[in-house]
Amino acid sequence: MPTRVNPVQLLVLLCFPLLFTSCLKDECRNKFTIYQPVYKSLSSVRKEMGFTQARKMERPGKIYQYGAYLLVNELWKGIHVFDNTNPASPRKLGFINILGNVDIAIRNNVLYADSYSDLAVIPVSNWTEAKPVTFRNKVFNDGFVSWGNQTNPDSVQVIVDYVERDTIVDCATYTTWSRCPNCMVADAGGRPVFVNAAAAAPVNGVGGSMARFTMVNDYLYTVTQSELSAFQVTDPLNPVKSSTQNLGWGIETIYPFQNKLFVGSNTGMFIFDLGNPATPARQGAFSHVRSCDPVIADGFTAYVTLRSGGTMCGGTSNQMDVININNLQTPFLVKTIALQNPHGLSKDGNRLFVCDGLAGLKIFDVQDERDPKLVQTIGGLGTTYDVIAQDKIALVVSDQGIFQFDYSNLQAIKQISKINLN
């Protein structure tokens, strides 16, 4: 017969090796929420890409306007498509499922979208039939997602979702993880697991509020965290990468103006000439304190917003810099305007629209383009972070939804619609 063990003796035996740890009543432990990744093969993910029924908007990212259509990125999931013929009543058409997507650009009814490290090419002359027809593999190397040396889509495993669970850790681990609340740790198989003491969403938010894709004539220009790339799209369905330049870490945004590219980084603004569109040539630069840096340009002036607080860029500045770019080789600062937490910006005629975080949408008179004057603030929009202003309609994305404003009468700018989040 098996020997019976006294429960008290068993408890003593179990506690003895841990006498100074888990059996002490005052042991320090804390709870973390861990997000364990769910994987699929890249080939399976690609088969599921394409147009599907409309879905609720939960985490809007970049906005893009194409003719009468409004496109809104759902972070890392795909693109909401709206018929915006009547901005007062935008109509949902559907959703293009593209896992790993953050940025888009369209030319001649062909949509170019990032999908993890890849470029997806999607004809959209008929939205309901939108589906990738071409992929360019491993053309974006941000350091976040890369297929390494793997080339077979069946052998590549990508993260498509996360399963949430709580775990208890000791004080030493808790202290280490708390210093970097959005870091990643590895599971038993060496794969990434997001950890967050505050149980925040497992995917990081948007680092920069302006686009990372832009089209100029027959070229698509893209930036990653460290690279500027040019793709020739003379054959729209078969883009060919013509060049890639390493610009150093911290690249955020790209903006085209008059055969130039203005690239924003967390340490400054770079200007590239497109005399040879296949290989943009660096022409000038303007340095600033470390901060996030969306940038636009118009005429002989560039506008740069710098922000602090909860960003990957670091820094403590919250301001808009007005920069003279009359001489592109030597741009210089002419004015700084203090703001609360500025993000994206857009200019139409003599009006400059700036998303100032929780402070709302701020509208400046820039008749004197180097001396902006604040003329109106629209609050109550949540945290605003991107805006497109054209044809007397301002599209504003915030953490509360997508707002549209009619500014045909500058003395009476009015909200005409809102697309709510789930």
Side-chain angles (χ1 to χ4, degrees), residues 321-341:
D321 286 348
V322 182
I323 302 168
N324 185 315
I325 55 172
N326 188 41
N327 185 334
L328 294 174
Q329 283 76 28
T330 58
F332 62 89
L333 179 69
V334 295
K335 187 171 184 177
T336 291
I337 298 172
L339 295 170
Q340 181 171 303
N341 194 232

Side-chain angles (χ1 to χ4, degrees), residues 265-269 286-293 304 306 321:
S265 80
N266 58 33
T267 57
M269 174 189 74
F286 173 79
S287 298
H288 56 62
V289 297
R290 183 174 175 83
S291 185
C292 287
D293 174 19
V304 176
L306 311 179
D321 286 348

Side-chain angles (χ1 to χ4, degrees), residues 96-113:
I96 304 177
N97 179 41
I98 311 173
L99 286 181
N101 171 249
V102 176
D103 278 280
I104 58 175
I106 303 178
R107 181 176 184 270
N108 293 336
N109 290 325
V110 177
L111 184 151
Y112 303 93

Side-chain angles (χ1 to χ4, degrees), residues 246-389:
N246 192 309
L247 307 182
W249 192 256
I251 303 302
E252 298 169 350
T253 61
I254 187 169
Y255 184 84
F257 181 70
Q258 292 185 348
N259 208 37
K260 301 288 187 293
L261 295 176
F262 291 79
V263 176
S265 80
N266 58 33
T267 57
M269 174 189 74
F270 304 105
I271 305 170
F272 288 83
D273 181 73
L274 298 179
N276 177 4
T279 307
R282 183 166 165 173
Q283 195 166 11
F286 173 79
S287 298
H288 56 62
V289 297
R290 183 174 175 83
S291 185
C292 287
D293 174 19
V295 55
I296 65 170
D298 191 16
F300 297 108
T301 306
Y303 303 93
V304 176
T305 58
L306 311 179
R307 72 181 184 275
S308 65
T311 71
M312 297 174 62
C313 314
T316 58
S317 300
N318 286 287
Q319 65 196 51
M320 178 171 66
D321 286 348
V322 182
I323 302 168
N324 185 315
I325 55 172
N326 188 41
N327 185 334
L328 294 174
Q329 283 76 28
T330 58
F332 62 89
L333 179 69
V334 295
K335 187 171 184 177
T336 291
I337 298 172
L339 295 170
Q340 181 171 303
N341 194 232
H343 291 62
L345 62 170
S346 183
K347 185 175 180 290
D348 184 16
N350 291 330
R351 286 297 184 267
L352 177 66
F353 299 78
V354 180
C355 290
D356 197 13
L358 278 171
L361 179 68
K362 294 188 174 178
I363 303 163
F364 293 83
D365 183 328
V366 286
Q367 187 167 358
D368 180 351
E369 62 182 22
R370 295 174 188 172
D371 187 23
K373 303 292 187 184
L374 180 64
V375 294
Q376 187 171 354
T377 297
I378 301 175
L381 308 179
T383 301
T384 58
Y385 54 84
D386 204 0
V387 56
I388 298 174

